[in-house]
């Protein structure tokens, strides 16, 4: 375990097993269709790549980068930093997110992508922190529901560090 991590909340094995199950459900739901996976950078990278490898359907991948966080604090104001390269009109779109916390980022993203006329638009998040919700978001696929703790690892950062940890962990107070 990394020296700055106080507790491993979700182990590497638990992550991989849950992602396998999620990918089975998604492959079943979108059978015979091509799904456009929209990854929300940068937190989605490990989740998206592990999920993608397991999917048994035709896929298209694109990315968006949004910003609302500075360190461990949400600013509450969401901005688009990097937009999609593809046109999603008439496409089945599945947003791939690392964590839904206040829901403000996903709320912004749903509103933004809906205006582009996708055939369908759903959310798949690795982690769901429902106790912090400020905006209602319809989550179709959630890997794990977690308590109100600031987590890092498996793509999630604290000031750009810890994304490489293969598990989801909670940082020691001294590291924050
Ligand atoms: P929301 O808009 O739902 O509050 O937050 C969404 C984004 O905030 C996530 O995509 C993620 O980048 C960041 N975030 C929210 N909670 C956490 C957390 O516990 N740990 C980390 N590392 N990032 C978080």
């Amino acid at each position: 375990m990394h020296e700055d991590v106080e507790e491993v909340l979700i182990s590497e094995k638990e992550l991989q097993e849950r992602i396998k199950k999620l990918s089975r459900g998604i492959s079943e739901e979108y059978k015979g269709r091509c799904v456009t996976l929209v990854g929300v950078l940068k937190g989605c990278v490990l989740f998206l790549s592990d999920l993608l490898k397991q999917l048994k359907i035709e896929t298209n991948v694109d990315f968006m980068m949004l910003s609302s966080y500075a360190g461990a604090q949400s600013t509450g104001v969401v901005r688009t930093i990097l937009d999609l390269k593809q046109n999603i009109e008439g496409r089945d779109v599945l947003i791939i997110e690392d964590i839904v916390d206040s829901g403000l980022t996903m709320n912004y993203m749903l509103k933004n992508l809906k205006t582009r006329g996708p055939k369908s638009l759903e959310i798949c998040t690795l982690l769901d922190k429902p106790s912090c919700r400020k905006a209602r978001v319809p989550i179709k696929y959630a890997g794990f529901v977690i308590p109100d703790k600031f987590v890092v690892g498996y793509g999630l950062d604290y000031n750009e560090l810890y994304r490489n940890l293969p598990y989801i962990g909670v940082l020691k107070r001294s590291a924050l």
Side-chain angles (χ1 to χ4, degrees), residues 69-85:
Y69 266 66
Q73 296 297 315
S74 171
T75 62
V77 182
V78 186
R79 288 183 303 127
T80 301
I81 292 178
L82 178 84
D83 206 349
L84 297 178
K85 293 276 182 277

Side-chain angles (χ1 to χ4, degrees), residues 35-173:
V35 63
T36 299
L37 302 176
V38 172
V40 187
L41 292 172
K42 302 175 192 169
C44 76
V45 287
L46 298 190
F47 178 41
L48 175 65
S49 61
D50 282 342
L51 188 73
L52 189 60
K53 281 186 276 185
Q54 303 279 344
L55 291 177
K56 304 283 183 261
I57 45 173
E58 215 177 296
T59 56
N60 231 297
V61 180
D62 209 337
F63 294 98
M64 275 182 91
M65 192 188 280
L66 306 167
S67 158
S68 75
Y69 266 66
Q73 296 297 315
S74 171
T75 62
V77 182
V78 186
R79 288 183 303 127
T80 301
I81 292 178
L82 178 84
D83 206 349
L84 297 178
K85 293 276 182 277
Q86 301 176 32
N87 180 354
I88 57 163
E89 193 177 347
R91 300 250 195 103
D92 288 306
V93 175
L94 183 59
I95 299 170
I96 309 294
E97 172 69 308
D98 54 355
I99 182 167
V100 179
D101 188 356
S102 68
L104 295 173
T105 305
M106 272 307 98
N107 191 37
Y108 167 93
M109 190 136 173
L110 282 178
K111 280 189 189 153
N112 182 309
L113 295 186
K114 260 182 201 159
T115 64
R116 309 182 197 197
K119 185 170 152 205
S120 67
L121 182 61
E122 303 288 357
I123 297 171
C124 172
T125 183
L126 177 67
L127 307 174
D128 180 10
K129 232 196 255 184
S131 54
C132 303
R133 209 66 103 243
K134 288 185 187 148
R136 275 193 57 181
V137 255
I139 298 174
K140 175 103 181 194
Y141 304 98
F144 300 87
V145 175
I146 63 162
D148 182 14
K149 289 181 174 179
F150 186 80
V151 293
V152 295
Y154 198 66
L156 288 98
D157 75 313
Y158 174 60
N159 286 338
E160 294 300 329
L161 295 173
Y162 312 111
R163 290 192 200 275
N164 57 323
L165 302 180
Y167 50 81
I168 297 287
V170 180
L171 288 179
K172 288 179 184 161
R173 254 173 206 284

Side-chain angles (χ1 to χ4, degrees), residues 1-9 149 152 165 167 169-176:
M1 190 159 87
H2 192 288
E3 59 183 9
D4 293 344
V5 172
E6 182 177 85
E7 174 198 0
V8 173
L9 207 60
K149 289 181 174 179
V152 295
L165 302 180
Y167 50 81
V170 180
L171 288 179
K172 288 179 184 161
R173 254 173 206 284
S174 58
L176 284 165

